[in-house]
Amino acid sequence: AQTVTQSQPEMSVQEAETVTLSCTYDTSENNYYLFWYKQPPSRQMILVIRQEAYKQQNATENRFSVNFQKAAKSFSLKISDSQLGDTAMYFCAFSPFLNAGGTSYGKLTFGQGTILTVHP
Amino acid sequence: EAQVTQNPRYLITVTGKKLTVTCSQNMNHEYMSWYRQDPGLGLRQIYYSMNVEVTDKGDVPEGYKVSRKEKRNFPLILESPSPNQTSLYFCASSSILAGGAYNEQFFGPGTRLTVL
């Protein structure tokens, strides 16, 4: 079974600065996906960024980038030029590839979440 | 507009009174799933479905039932709700790609359930 751990229950940052959210995971799988989801006060789950484990290059989406360390099973999210609209709960999540029996397809295993507050 | 809808968005009920939370998607997705979100625990999968009439348990299925009679709908049924089922519930859907490739899961807006 996979586990995902976010050790920072809360983080804060000043507007325009950079913040990094931490995530570690445990799995015996070799091929999998990792995600960061954002949940603003509206509660909507919004996909921020995705990383395929077989890709060595770190994923980037505008101000959001990841530091993926496969051997260390670490997957941190860096938010550059933080904006007030970035204030939200952030979840790290893991999903395996479709296995032979198909029983794990699509299952997302989430971390506990990190509440990020961006201050003006 | 492509979306996943859930109803109701808020529900307060009493212990033992059967309830159903509906989930519907208009994207012709094969895969659908239910999660519950609790403080300090993140989201945990309750049940999932790979296609019509194909459902299976997730990590926390006790006390819940699901059905998948139509591709677009995946209702969550609580036959005898208890206070420990007070939670925020999310439905999600995605298409299934060949070869194990991942396709983004789209989440519904959530249903806040309180069981007294």
Side-chain angles (χ1 to χ4, degrees):
Chain A
Q2 291 81 23
T3 59
V4 177
T5 302
Q6 294 177 247
S7 59
Q8 306 155 314
E10 296 185 40
M11 295 278 286
S12 64
V13 64
Q14 292 297 124
E15 196 174 8
E17 294 189 345
T18 295
V19 64
T20 298
L21 307 184
S22 301
C23 173
T24 58
Y25 60 94
D26 190 24
T27 183
S28 58
E29 307 266 352
N30 189 49
N31 290 322
Y32 49 87
Y33 295 94
L34 294 164
F35 309 86
W36 280 97
Y37 279 88
K38 171 184 178 181
Q39 187 180 49
S42 66
R43 303 187 321 216
Q44 183 67 43
M45 294 292 289
I46 302 166
L47 178 63
V48 174
I49 199 165
R50 179 179 97 189
Q51 175 79 43
E52 290 86 351
Y54 61 85
K55 290 185 178 179
Q56 293 188 351
Q57 186 173 6
N58 290 325
T60 299
E61 288 286 343
N62 301 313
R63 299 183 293 108
F64 299 87
S65 61
V66 299
N67 183 3
F68 173 49
Q69 302 289 328
K70 190 174 183 180
K73 295 180 181 173
S74 170
F75 183 61
S76 60
L77 175 70
K78 185 172 82 171
I79 305 174
S80 304
D81 186 24
S82 297
Q83 300 176 359
L84 297 178
D86 294 334
T87 292
M89 173 87 84
Y90 286 82
F91 291 99
C92 178
F94 170 103
S95 179
F97 266 48
L98 178 68
N99 63 19
T103 58
S104 296
Y105 184 91
K107 177 182 177 181
L108 288 166
T109 299
F110 287 85
Q112 302 90 331
T114 298
I115 299 172
L116 175 67
T117 303
V118 180
H119 297 285
Chain B
E1 178 189 357
Q3 60 182 348
V4 179
T5 58
Q6 293 179 228
N7 282 292
R9 295 288 309 280
Y10 301 88
L11 179 60
I12 300 174
T13 189
V14 296
T15 298
K17 185 176 181 181
K18 181 180 178 179
L19 66 92
T20 299
V21 183
T22 65
C23 173
S24 183
Q25 49 92 6
N26 62 1
M27 296 167 279
N28 202 36
H29 286 165
E30 297 86 359
Y31 181 89
M32 298 186 75
S33 179
W34 277 102
Y35 296 87
R36 61 178 287 175
Q37 180 180 349
D38 301 291
L41 297 176
L43 282 77
R44 294 175 292 167
Q45 190 181 53
I46 303 171
Y47 269 94
Y48 67 96
S49 170
M50 299 285 281
N51 214 325
V52 175
E53 302 292 359
V54 181
T55 64
D56 208 346
K57 298 177 181 178
D59 292 326
V60 288
E62 294 76 21
Y64 304 95
K65 286 176 59 178
V66 294
S67 69
R68 188 91 182 272
K69 293 184 172 58
E70 303 167 283
K71 196 172 186 179
R72 61 182 292 129
N73 296 324
F74 190 45
L76 179 69
I77 303 157
L78 286 71
E79 298 245 339
S80 183
S82 63
N84 65 11
Q85 293 178 298
T86 292
S87 188
L88 177 60
Y89 291 87
F90 286 98
C91 180
S93 75
S94 74
S95 56
I96 293 179
L97 301 179
Y102 187 88
N103 209 11
E104 180 181 348
Q105 285 195 32
F106 292 84
F107 282 82
T111 295
R112 171 72 68 185
L113 172 65
T114 302
V115 183
L116 303 175

